[in-house]
Amino acid sequence: MNKPRVSRNPVAPALAARGVRRVRPDVAGPALAVRAARASVERVRRVVYLAVKRSPKSLFLRELVAQPGTVGAICASSPRLAARMASWVDPAAPGLVVELGGGTGVITAALLARGVAPERLVVIEQSAALAAHLQRRFAHVHVVHGDAAELARLVQSADWPRGGDGAPLPVHCIVSGLPLLSIPPAVRQRILHAGAAVLAPHGRLLQFTYAMRGPSAWQTAGLVGQARERVLANLPPARIDVLGHEAR
């Protein structure tokens, strides 16, 4: 009785000698599909990671965890709240608009959209990471990495915007996104008195707060309330206080 002939692959011994494993045809398809799916998931994961890492919101959250006393707010200002803050600013008024606590730039963008000229806008941010982000995002805006409590000193610094006569330009409007209620009282008082001291006699100061009732903290520095607006569309709802010096 003749034995059945066995077909041999002459390449197989060479592959085996090189340590190459043969993949059975019945499992090659599923195995390749699994590897392709894993590679695809890994690519998506890397893309999502980079997107989150570069996101301003992600940067805000990282700074909130790293410096809770400095960042303070639970979430960055909403575009709706920022737009309402900017609506109280007169873009044609002389002097500078100074933003305290620029964060990721939500209010900064709203001020520019309002018509405030970039060369008239100064943004003060204490976080080095957020200040660097603001400078990259708003290349023509004067971003200062500094402390709002040192505002009087910053105004006199050499790199502060100056007029043709060499004197520091006056601060016509202060727009504050600082979380005053979460700042230690001693530091808060320094910020309040520094802001009131540099604000021009007929200037305007804007502050938003999540406290819907009660006086503004700026009133302890001698400023008086001029108007108030509630922004219920923000999360959480916020209040905008408009203040200035007492009329004389």
Side-chain angles (χ1 to χ4, degrees):
M1 183 174 181
N2 296 330
K3 295 182 178 181
R5 295 179 62 185
V6 179
S7 177
R8 298 182 179 277
N9 185 350
V11 181
L15 293 176
R18 296 181 183 181
V20 179
R21 295 179 58 188
R22 294 181 62 194
V23 179
R24 289 170 49 191
D26 59 332
V27 298
L32 291 175
V34 169
R35 286 200 293 271
R38 288 176 177 172
S40 178
V41 170
E42 180 61 22
R43 285 195 298 271
V44 172
R45 187 192 68 80
R46 287 198 298 267
V47 170
V48 172
Y49 171 78
L50 291 175
V52 171
K53 183 179 179 180
R54 296 167 182 170
S55 166
K57 291 184 179 180
S58 175
L59 175 61
F60 180 86
L61 292 174
R62 292 200 302 273
E63 288 301 294
L64 175 59
V65 172
Q67 306 183 66
T70 300
V71 180
I74 298 174
C75 55
S77 308
S78 72
R80 167 69 177 172
L81 175 58
R84 294 311 307 154
M85 290 276 284
S87 71
W88 288 95
V89 178
D90 181 2
L96 299 175
V97 176
V98 176
E99 181 185 355
L100 305 181
T104 59
V106 179
I107 294 178
T108 310
L111 291 170
L112 294 173
R114 171 69 173 162
V116 177
E119 62 272 14
R120 290 186 51 238
L121 180 56
V122 178
V123 183
I124 298 176
E125 173 54 56
Q126 189 175 18
S127 162
L130 290 174
H133 164 77
L134 290 167
Q135 192 63 79
R136 289 192 301 269
R137 183 178 177 186
F138 307 103
H140 300 294
V141 171
H142 191 77
V143 178
V144 177
H145 173 217
D147 190 345
E150 301 294 330
L151 186 56
R153 180 183 61 80
L154 294 175
V155 169
Q156 298 300 324
S157 63
D159 60 345
W160 189 266
R162 295 175 178 269
D165 58 355
L169 290 175
V171 179
H172 167 74
C173 185
I174 294 177
V175 182
S176 173
L178 295 175
L180 293 178
L181 298 181
S182 65
I183 295 176
V187 178
R188 179 170 65 237
Q189 286 303 311
R190 290 177 57 209
I191 294 173
L192 298 175
H193 286 282
V198 303
L199 184 66
H202 299 289
R204 172 176 288 180
L205 186 143
L206 309 172
Q207 172 73 54
F208 83 82
T209 177
Y210 298 129
M212 303 302 283
R213 292 185 175 85
S216 170
W218 290 96
Q219 292 177 248
T220 64
L223 298 183
V224 296
Q226 297 177 344
R228 179 172 291 182
E229 178 185 356
R230 292 184 176 183
V231 184
L232 301 180
N234 194 66
L235 184 64
R239 185 187 85 192
I240 298 173
D241 289 315
V242 183
L243 306 104
H245 292 290
E246 188 173 3
R248 295 179 181 178

